[in-house]
Amino acid sequence: MAEPFAGAIVPHAPVLLPEIGGSAGASSRDRILRGCDKVDTSGADVVLVVSPHGRDAGVYARGSGSEASFGGPEARLESPTDSAAAESLARAWKAPLLEDELDHGAVGCLHLLDVRRPSVVAALPETTGPGATADACAAMVEGRKLAGAVKRAFAGSSVLVVASAHTSAAL
């Protein structure tokens, strides 16, 4: 029997997107992209992307966003959302459905993995940089709540968790 959970930790750095990073770091980017290409989303009942760059904790209601804040307006993303799974996770987490555009960490993950199937994107509050809305302890508490909600919302389902990672927020 296959494990019900699988995962990938994906660098969120917008510079990995050719539209933003250009030719700088191309060989590193190519190695990372080859690794991302090996992540198979087809066997999962639910693809869950978790980003540590939300304004607030919650589940995005739609999968659109861009990397415009990093100088890559053409790095626009329109990704299908698994609405039923998103609503189920928000209910189990007691978190809101966010009407905002996806944050840059979520956009980066979806671009790098080229997820073309409906997915669920959860945001944890930003803890670093000028957009920080929470401290690390509060974000970790929220992350634990999210983990419990994932287990409740998707019991009996196989879940591929894709986490955007960077320095302290990845913890």
Side-chain angles (χ1 to χ4, degrees):
M1 178 178 202
E3 283 292 319
F5 288 88
I9 297 175
V10 181
H12 90 286
V15 296
L16 292 174
L17 301 174
E19 300 90 340
I20 297 168
S23 62
S27 65
S28 295
R29 180 174 49 241
D30 289 346
R31 283 193 303 277
I32 291 167
L33 291 174
R34 280 194 306 276
C36 290
D37 285 345
K38 293 180 182 181
V39 176
D40 180 11
T41 65
S42 67
D45 297 321
V46 177
V47 175
L48 171 64
V49 173
V50 181
S51 174
H53 295 288
R55 248 188 329 192
D56 298 301
V59 180
Y60 287 103
R62 56 192 167 88
S64 61
S66 78
E67 297 289 7
S69 63
F70 286 91
E74 63 279 356
R76 180 116 190 110
L77 177 81
E78 296 293 334
S79 180
T81 299
D82 183 337
S83 298
E87 290 170 8
S88 178
L89 180 58
R91 235 182 348 269
W93 190 10
K94 296 183 176 96
L97 275 174
L98 304 171
E99 294 297 332
D100 305 335
E101 285 206 334
L102 297 175
D103 65 70
H104 70 271
V107 171
C109 281
L110 290 166
H111 264 301
L112 289 171
L113 289 177
D114 197 20
V115 176
R116 295 171 192 232
R117 59 177 280 192
S119 59
V120 177
V121 180
L124 292 169
E126 175 78 54
T127 62
T128 60
T133 58
D135 64 33
C137 289
M140 288 183 2
V141 166
E142 205 57 55
R144 287 186 192 104
K145 289 180 185 176
L146 171 60
V150 169
K151 288 180 182 179
R152 290 188 302 278
F154 306 131
S157 300
S158 62
V159 180
L160 171 65
V161 178
V162 180
S164 171
H166 81 99
T167 59
S168 62
L171 301 175

